[in-house]
Short mmCIF file of all heavy atoms in Angstrom, two decimals:
data_model
loop_
_atom_site.label_atom_id
_atom_site.label_comp_id
_atom_site.label_asym_id
_atom_site.label_seq_id
_atom_site.Cartn_x
_atom_site.Cartn_y
_atom_site.Cartn_z
N ARG A 266 18.79 -2.70 -11.53
CA ARG A 266 19.76 -1.63 -11.24
C ARG A 266 19.15 -0.31 -11.67
O ARG A 266 18.76 -0.17 -12.82
CB ARG A 266 21.08 -1.90 -11.92
CG ARG A 266 22.17 -0.92 -11.49
CD ARG A 266 23.53 -1.31 -12.01
NE ARG A 266 23.96 -2.61 -11.58
CZ ARG A 266 24.48 -2.91 -10.37
NH1 ARG A 266 24.62 -1.97 -9.48
NH2 ARG A 266 24.87 -4.12 -10.07
N LEU A 267 19.06 0.62 -10.74
CA LEU A 267 18.58 1.97 -11.03
C LEU A 267 19.79 2.89 -11.16
O LEU A 267 20.63 2.97 -10.25
CB LEU A 267 17.67 2.45 -9.89
CG LEU A 267 16.45 1.57 -9.58
CD1 LEU A 267 15.65 2.13 -8.46
CD2 LEU A 267 15.59 1.38 -10.79
N ALA A 268 19.85 3.62 -12.23
CA ALA A 268 20.97 4.57 -12.48
C ALA A 268 20.77 5.83 -11.64
O ALA A 268 19.63 6.12 -11.22
CB ALA A 268 21.00 4.94 -13.95
N PRO A 269 21.83 6.58 -11.41
CA PRO A 269 21.67 7.87 -10.71
C PRO A 269 20.63 8.70 -11.47
O PRO A 269 20.57 8.71 -12.70
CB PRO A 269 23.08 8.48 -10.80
CG PRO A 269 23.99 7.33 -10.96
CD PRO A 269 23.23 6.30 -11.75
N GLN A 270 19.88 9.44 -10.72
CA GLN A 270 18.72 10.15 -11.30
C GLN A 270 18.28 11.30 -10.41
O GLN A 270 18.42 11.21 -9.18
CB GLN A 270 17.55 9.15 -11.45
CG GLN A 270 16.26 9.68 -11.98
CD GLN A 270 16.37 10.14 -13.40
OE1 GLN A 270 16.85 9.39 -14.26
NE2 GLN A 270 15.95 11.35 -13.66
N ARG A 271 17.72 12.32 -10.97
CA ARG A 271 17.10 13.43 -10.23
C ARG A 271 15.65 13.01 -9.93
O ARG A 271 14.92 12.54 -10.83
CB ARG A 271 17.12 14.73 -11.08
CG ARG A 271 16.47 15.89 -10.43
CD ARG A 271 17.49 16.64 -9.62
NE ARG A 271 16.95 17.90 -9.21
CZ ARG A 271 17.33 18.52 -8.12
NH1 ARG A 271 18.25 17.97 -7.36
NH2 ARG A 271 16.83 19.69 -7.79
N TYR A 272 15.24 13.19 -8.66
CA TYR A 272 13.89 12.78 -8.23
C TYR A 272 13.14 13.91 -7.54
O TYR A 272 13.77 14.68 -6.80
CB TYR A 272 13.97 11.63 -7.24
CG TYR A 272 14.47 10.34 -7.82
CD1 TYR A 272 15.79 9.97 -7.72
CD2 TYR A 272 13.60 9.42 -8.42
CE1 TYR A 272 16.27 8.77 -8.22
CE2 TYR A 272 14.05 8.22 -8.93
CZ TYR A 272 15.39 7.92 -8.83
OH TYR A 272 15.85 6.73 -9.35
N ALA A 273 11.84 13.90 -7.77
CA ALA A 273 10.92 14.68 -6.92
C ALA A 273 10.42 13.64 -5.92
O ALA A 273 9.87 12.62 -6.27
CB ALA A 273 9.77 15.26 -7.71
N VAL A 274 10.63 13.93 -4.62
CA VAL A 274 10.29 12.95 -3.57
C VAL A 274 9.07 13.46 -2.81
O VAL A 274 9.13 14.51 -2.17
CB VAL A 274 11.49 12.72 -2.64
CG1 VAL A 274 11.11 11.65 -1.58
CG2 VAL A 274 12.74 12.24 -3.40
N PHE A 275 8.02 12.70 -2.86
CA PHE A 275 6.73 13.02 -2.20
C PHE A 275 6.56 12.13 -0.98
O PHE A 275 6.93 10.97 -1.02
CB PHE A 275 5.58 12.79 -3.18
CG PHE A 275 5.59 13.72 -4.34
CD1 PHE A 275 6.29 13.35 -5.50
CD2 PHE A 275 4.94 14.93 -4.31
CE1 PHE A 275 6.32 14.17 -6.57
CE2 PHE A 275 4.94 15.76 -5.42
CZ PHE A 275 5.66 15.38 -6.55
N THR A 276 5.91 12.67 0.04
CA THR A 276 5.55 11.88 1.23
C THR A 276 4.09 11.50 1.13
O THR A 276 3.24 12.36 0.91
CB THR A 276 5.82 12.69 2.48
OG1 THR A 276 7.21 13.01 2.59
CG2 THR A 276 5.41 11.90 3.72
N HIS A 277 3.84 10.18 1.26
CA HIS A 277 2.45 9.71 1.35
C HIS A 277 2.21 9.39 2.84
O HIS A 277 2.79 8.44 3.34
CB HIS A 277 2.25 8.45 0.49
CG HIS A 277 0.88 7.86 0.63
ND1 HIS A 277 -0.18 8.34 -0.06
CD2 HIS A 277 0.39 6.90 1.40
CE1 HIS A 277 -1.29 7.69 0.28
NE2 HIS A 277 -0.92 6.77 1.17
N ALA A 278 1.41 10.23 3.52
CA ALA A 278 1.23 10.09 4.96
C ALA A 278 -0.04 9.35 5.32
O ALA A 278 -0.18 8.95 6.45
CB ALA A 278 1.19 11.47 5.60
N GLU A 279 -0.90 9.09 4.39
CA GLU A 279 -2.17 8.41 4.64
C GLU A 279 -1.98 6.89 4.67
O GLU A 279 -0.86 6.38 4.45
CB GLU A 279 -3.18 8.80 3.58
CG GLU A 279 -3.49 10.29 3.53
CD GLU A 279 -4.40 10.66 2.37
OE1 GLU A 279 -5.30 9.87 2.05
OE2 GLU A 279 -4.16 11.73 1.77
N HIS A 280 -3.08 6.16 4.92
CA HIS A 280 -3.03 4.70 4.84
C HIS A 280 -2.58 4.30 3.43
O HIS A 280 -2.88 4.97 2.46
CB HIS A 280 -4.43 4.14 5.18
CG HIS A 280 -4.43 2.66 5.31
ND1 HIS A 280 -4.62 1.84 4.25
CD2 HIS A 280 -4.23 1.88 6.39
CE1 HIS A 280 -4.56 0.58 4.66
NE2 HIS A 280 -4.31 0.56 5.98
N ILE A 281 -1.92 3.19 3.36
CA ILE A 281 -1.41 2.71 2.07
C ILE A 281 -2.53 2.52 1.05
O ILE A 281 -2.29 2.70 -0.16
CB ILE A 281 -0.60 1.43 2.24
CG1 ILE A 281 0.03 1.02 0.94
CG2 ILE A 281 -1.46 0.26 2.73
CD1 ILE A 281 1.48 0.80 0.98
N SER A 282 -3.73 2.25 1.47
CA SER A 282 -4.85 2.02 0.52
C SER A 282 -5.19 3.28 -0.25
O SER A 282 -5.85 3.20 -1.30
CB SER A 282 -6.09 1.51 1.26
OG SER A 282 -6.56 2.48 2.18
N ALA A 283 -4.73 4.44 0.21
CA ALA A 283 -5.03 5.72 -0.47
C ALA A 283 -3.92 6.12 -1.46
O ALA A 283 -3.95 7.20 -2.03
CB ALA A 283 -5.24 6.82 0.53
N VAL A 284 -2.95 5.24 -1.68
CA VAL A 284 -1.78 5.62 -2.52
C VAL A 284 -2.13 5.90 -3.96
O VAL A 284 -1.50 6.75 -4.58
CB VAL A 284 -0.66 4.55 -2.41
CG1 VAL A 284 -1.03 3.26 -3.17
CG2 VAL A 284 0.67 5.12 -2.91
N ARG A 285 -3.14 5.28 -4.49
CA ARG A 285 -3.54 5.58 -5.88
C ARG A 285 -3.88 7.05 -6.05
O ARG A 285 -3.54 7.67 -7.04
CB ARG A 285 -4.74 4.69 -6.30
CG ARG A 285 -5.09 4.84 -7.75
CD ARG A 285 -6.21 3.92 -8.15
NE ARG A 285 -6.59 4.06 -9.51
CZ ARG A 285 -6.34 3.16 -10.46
NH1 ARG A 285 -5.75 2.06 -10.15
NH2 ARG A 285 -6.72 3.42 -11.68
N GLY A 286 -4.54 7.64 -5.07
CA GLY A 286 -4.87 9.06 -5.13
C GLY A 286 -3.64 9.94 -5.13
O GLY A 286 -3.58 11.00 -5.77
N THR A 287 -2.59 9.53 -4.40
CA THR A 287 -1.34 10.24 -4.40
C THR A 287 -0.66 10.18 -5.77
O THR A 287 -0.18 11.18 -6.29
CB THR A 287 -0.42 9.74 -3.28
OG1 THR A 287 -1.10 9.91 -2.02
CG2 THR A 287 0.91 10.52 -3.26
N PHE A 288 -0.63 8.98 -6.32
CA PHE A 288 -0.02 8.84 -7.67
C PHE A 288 -0.78 9.69 -8.68
O PHE A 288 -0.18 10.33 -9.54
CB PHE A 288 0.03 7.35 -8.11
CG PHE A 288 1.24 6.63 -7.65
CD1 PHE A 288 1.23 5.87 -6.51
CD2 PHE A 288 2.43 6.75 -8.34
CE1 PHE A 288 2.40 5.18 -6.08
CE2 PHE A 288 3.61 6.08 -7.97
CZ PHE A 288 3.56 5.30 -6.81
N MET A 289 -2.10 9.69 -8.62
CA MET A 289 -2.89 10.48 -9.54
C MET A 289 -2.60 11.95 -9.37
O MET A 289 -2.48 12.70 -10.37
CB MET A 289 -4.37 10.18 -9.35
CG MET A 289 -4.75 8.79 -9.85
SD MET A 289 -6.51 8.48 -9.64
CE MET A 289 -7.19 9.61 -10.79
N ALA A 290 -2.49 12.45 -8.14
CA ALA A 290 -2.19 13.84 -7.89
C ALA A 290 -0.80 14.21 -8.41
O ALA A 290 -0.61 15.28 -9.00
CB ALA A 290 -2.30 14.16 -6.41
N ILE A 291 0.15 13.31 -8.27
CA ILE A 291 1.49 13.57 -8.77
C ILE A 291 1.52 13.66 -10.28
O ILE A 291 2.00 14.66 -10.85
CB ILE A 291 2.48 12.48 -8.27
CG1 ILE A 291 2.70 12.56 -6.74
CG2 ILE A 291 3.83 12.59 -9.03
CD1 ILE A 291 3.41 11.34 -6.14
N PHE A 292 1.00 12.64 -10.94
CA PHE A 292 1.16 12.54 -12.41
C PHE A 292 0.10 13.35 -13.19
O PHE A 292 0.39 13.77 -14.29
CB PHE A 292 1.17 11.08 -12.85
CG PHE A 292 2.43 10.38 -12.45
CD1 PHE A 292 2.52 9.56 -11.36
CD2 PHE A 292 3.59 10.61 -13.17
CE1 PHE A 292 3.68 8.93 -10.96
CE2 PHE A 292 4.81 10.00 -12.81
CZ PHE A 292 4.84 9.19 -11.69
N ASN A 293 -1.09 13.53 -12.63
CA ASN A 293 -2.10 14.27 -13.36
C ASN A 293 -2.18 15.75 -13.01
O ASN A 293 -2.67 16.55 -13.78
CB ASN A 293 -3.49 13.65 -13.12
CG ASN A 293 -3.58 12.27 -13.67
OD1 ASN A 293 -2.80 11.85 -14.54
ND2 ASN A 293 -4.50 11.48 -13.17
N ASP A 294 -1.70 16.11 -11.79
CA ASP A 294 -1.79 17.52 -11.36
C ASP A 294 -0.40 18.14 -11.22
O ASP A 294 -0.06 19.07 -11.91
CB ASP A 294 -2.55 17.61 -10.05
CG ASP A 294 -3.98 17.03 -10.15
OD1 ASP A 294 -4.57 17.10 -11.24
OD2 ASP A 294 -4.47 16.56 -9.13
N TRP A 295 0.44 17.63 -10.29
CA TRP A 295 1.71 18.25 -9.98
C TRP A 295 2.66 18.26 -11.14
O TRP A 295 3.18 19.32 -11.51
CB TRP A 295 2.37 17.55 -8.79
CG TRP A 295 3.67 18.20 -8.44
CD1 TRP A 295 3.86 19.32 -7.68
CD2 TRP A 295 4.97 17.86 -8.94
NE1 TRP A 295 5.20 19.66 -7.64
CE2 TRP A 295 5.89 18.76 -8.42
CE3 TRP A 295 5.45 16.83 -9.75
CZ2 TRP A 295 7.24 18.70 -8.66
CZ3 TRP A 295 6.80 16.75 -10.01
CH2 TRP A 295 7.69 17.67 -9.48
N LEU A 296 2.92 17.09 -11.76
CA LEU A 296 3.91 17.04 -12.84
C LEU A 296 3.62 17.97 -14.04
O LEU A 296 4.49 18.75 -14.41
CB LEU A 296 4.13 15.61 -13.32
CG LEU A 296 5.32 15.36 -14.25
CD1 LEU A 296 6.63 15.80 -13.60
CD2 LEU A 296 5.39 13.88 -14.61
N PRO A 297 2.41 17.99 -14.55
CA PRO A 297 2.12 18.90 -15.66
C PRO A 297 2.26 20.38 -15.31
O PRO A 297 2.54 21.22 -16.15
CB PRO A 297 0.66 18.58 -16.04
CG PRO A 297 0.37 17.24 -15.50
CD PRO A 297 1.26 17.11 -14.26
N GLN A 298 2.06 20.72 -14.02
CA GLN A 298 2.13 22.11 -13.58
C GLN A 298 3.53 22.49 -13.06
O GLN A 298 3.79 23.68 -12.77
CB GLN A 298 1.13 22.35 -12.47
CG GLN A 298 -0.30 22.17 -12.92
CD GLN A 298 -1.26 22.17 -11.77
OE1 GLN A 298 -0.94 22.56 -10.65
NE2 GLN A 298 -2.50 21.74 -12.01
N SER A 299 4.46 21.55 -12.95
CA SER A 299 5.70 21.77 -12.28
C SER A 299 6.80 22.42 -13.15
O SER A 299 7.78 22.92 -12.64
CB SER A 299 6.30 20.42 -11.76
OG SER A 299 6.70 19.62 -12.89
N GLY A 300 6.62 22.37 -14.49
CA GLY A 300 7.64 22.83 -15.39
C GLY A 300 8.70 21.75 -15.63
O GLY A 300 9.66 22.02 -16.35
N LEU A 301 8.51 20.61 -15.01
CA LEU A 301 9.42 19.44 -15.21
C LEU A 301 8.71 18.42 -16.06
O LEU A 301 7.50 18.48 -16.30
CB LEU A 301 9.82 18.86 -13.84
CG LEU A 301 10.57 19.79 -12.93
CD1 LEU A 301 10.69 19.13 -11.53
CD2 LEU A 301 11.95 20.13 -13.46
N HIS A 302 9.47 17.40 -16.46
CA HIS A 302 8.92 16.25 -17.21
C HIS A 302 9.33 14.99 -16.53
O HIS A 302 10.39 14.95 -15.86
CB HIS A 302 9.44 16.27 -18.64
CG HIS A 302 9.14 17.50 -19.41
ND1 HIS A 302 7.91 17.72 -19.98
CD2 HIS A 302 9.86 18.64 -19.62
CE1 HIS A 302 7.92 18.92 -20.55
NE2 HIS A 302 9.10 19.49 -20.33
N GLY A 303 8.55 13.98 -16.67
CA GLY A 303 8.91 12.67 -16.14
C GLY A 303 10.06 12.14 -16.92
O GLY A 303 10.06 12.18 -18.16
N ALA A 304 11.08 11.63 -16.25
CA ALA A 304 12.24 11.01 -16.93
C ALA A 304 11.90 9.55 -17.23
O ALA A 304 11.09 8.93 -16.56
CB ALA A 304 13.47 11.13 -16.03
N ASP A 305 12.56 9.01 -18.23
CA ASP A 305 12.35 7.64 -18.61
C ASP A 305 13.18 6.76 -17.68
O ASP A 305 14.27 6.25 -17.98
CB ASP A 305 12.79 7.40 -20.06
CG ASP A 305 12.44 6.01 -20.56
OD1 ASP A 305 11.61 5.34 -19.93
OD2 ASP A 305 13.02 5.59 -21.57
N ALA A 306 12.64 6.58 -16.46
CA ALA A 306 13.33 5.81 -15.41
C ALA A 306 12.24 5.27 -14.47
O ALA A 306 11.08 5.68 -14.52
CB ALA A 306 14.30 6.68 -14.66
N ALA A 307 12.65 4.33 -13.59
CA ALA A 307 11.68 3.72 -12.67
C ALA A 307 11.21 4.71 -11.62
O ALA A 307 11.98 5.54 -11.11
CB ALA A 307 12.35 2.53 -12.01
N VAL A 308 9.96 4.58 -11.24
CA VAL A 308 9.39 5.30 -10.08
C VAL A 308 9.41 4.29 -8.95
O VAL A 308 9.15 3.11 -9.17
CB VAL A 308 7.86 5.65 -10.41
CG1 VAL A 308 7.20 6.22 -9.18
CG2 VAL A 308 7.80 6.64 -11.56
N PHE A 309 9.73 4.76 -7.75
CA PHE A 309 9.69 3.81 -6.64
C PHE A 309 9.13 4.41 -5.37
O PHE A 309 9.14 5.59 -5.14
CB PHE A 309 11.08 3.15 -6.43
CG PHE A 309 12.16 4.07 -5.98
CD1 PHE A 309 12.39 4.36 -4.64
CD2 PHE A 309 13.02 4.64 -6.94
CE1 PHE A 309 13.42 5.19 -4.25
CE2 PHE A 309 14.08 5.45 -6.54
CZ PHE A 309 14.27 5.75 -5.19
#
């Protein structure tokens, strides 16, 4: 069960095999520069 939560929703448009690069860009680049913090909740 996932509780109500605020999300940043990204589109991954490339082949699924490239998803690791998207996750790295989100967590290593975008999130630290966004002024937001990751919440203690599931990523999906």
Side-chain angles (χ1 to χ4, degrees):
R266 187 170 302 279
L267 304 178
Q270 177 67 52
R271 178 89 168 152
Y272 292 95
V274 181
F275 296 87
T276 299
H277 176 82
E279 299 174 37
H280 188 272
I281 186 126
S282 63
V284 72
R285 185 178 180 109
T287 300
F288 273 98
M289 289 180 67
I291 292 168
F292 288 100
N293 295 341
D294 301 332
W295 180 84
L296 190 58
Q298 297 170 14
S299 70
L301 298 171
H302 301 279
D305 187 18
V308 172
F309 64 87

